[in-house]
Amino acid sequence: MLKSVPRMDGDITMKSYEELLASLRPIATKLKTNIFPEGQKYGLLSLLTTDGEYASYIGDPLYHYKEPVPPSDYEIQNPITDAMTEPQRKAIETKTRRYEQDYNKFMATTEKLRDAIVEAVDEEHIEALKDPVVNYDMVAPYDLLGQIIKRPYCSPSWKERS
């Protein structure tokens, strides 16, 4: 378990939930990214917040969380063609490499947050999201947090994201 994330034994209070959230924020904001709006400032904080909370941080009331696509899908959406000039090709290659780096940050941070949450709480609070084969590996941090306090999800469940 990460030392900075408090263990929440027994019943979860709003105070202990807020302490957990506060300890997760530095993990989410450490790595800067271009995947989410204002990611250079807030990193991957959107992994822990509702759409409304993140929208208020970035000053965009229309913000809605969108799961980043894997780099292979990104390359399909941004193909290099024979008709492109060398500078155009290089620009797309650079943008694709940058996206791949950002996506890797997203995946690593998602895993760190998920592992920290799973380690921080008694399983009874999150077991409804546990898969018999992959455990919590496909569950988003936001969904784990939602399960802990039984809040309605603002993002699709992990089953719908697959």
Side-chain angles (χ1 to χ4, degrees), residues 26-77:
I27 299 169
T29 59
K30 181 177 182 178
L31 298 177
K32 305 309 177 196
T33 178
N34 291 309
I35 283 190
F36 297 112
E38 297 291 329
Q40 289 299 312
K41 182 175 182 180
Y42 297 108
L44 295 159
L45 187 60
S46 63
L47 292 173
L48 301 176
T49 62
T50 65
D51 287 351
E53 290 167 331
Y54 196 71
S56 70
Y57 295 145
I58 65 173
D60 179 0
L62 301 178
Y63 171 79
H64 181 69
Y65 178 86
K66 183 179 176 193
E67 187 83 16
V69 298
S72 58
D73 291 351
Y74 181 83
E75 290 175 12
I76 291 169
Q77 294 171 4

